[in-house]
Amino acid sequence: MLVLLEEVFVDNCSTEGGKGFFGGDKIGYLDIALGGFLGWLKAAEKLVGVKLLDEKRTPELIGWAERFIADNAVKGVIPETEELLEFAKKYLPKA
């Protein structure tokens, strides 16, 4: 699914056309909806030991994620990976 999302981003929103986000030049609703999962995506990568966003298959999504996380509106909002890992380790066994 991430490769498909990469293709959609490249075809419709890529930085080649000056668009750094799904919403255009600035963060939009789709960026917020997808960006909200970035913390968990990084935590899942550490939990299972698999790189979900990799430079060969999803280079544009990696760039998007870096721009999203670096934006002043987002800084400090997405929980740190270690915090999410601790939460997951505590509650996953109960699920």
Side-chain angles (χ1 to χ4, degrees), residues 4-61:
L4 179 60
L5 189 59
E6 169 84 4
E7 291 173 12
V8 170
F9 186 76
V10 169
D11 290 345
N12 298 302
C13 317
S14 80
T15 55
E16 294 172 15
K19 310 294 184 203
F21 299 99
F22 285 95
D25 294 325
K26 297 180 181 179
I27 292 175
Y29 291 117
L30 184 55
D31 298 294
I32 293 168
L34 295 173
F37 291 101
L38 287 173
W40 282 110
L41 187 70
K42 289 182 180 186
E45 286 179 340
K46 285 196 172 193
L47 277 173
V48 297
V50 174
K51 197 80 168 148
L52 298 172
L53 288 177
D54 72 31
E55 302 221 2
K56 289 183 183 178
R57 296 180 348 166
T58 57
E60 293 294 324
L61 282 180

Side-chain angles (χ1 to χ4, degrees), residues 39-40 42-43 69 76-86:
W40 282 110
K42 289 182 180 186
I69 290 172
V77 176
I78 295 178
E80 294 292 324
T81 303
E82 294 305 318
E83 290 176 39
L84 295 171
L85 286 171
E86 288 301 316

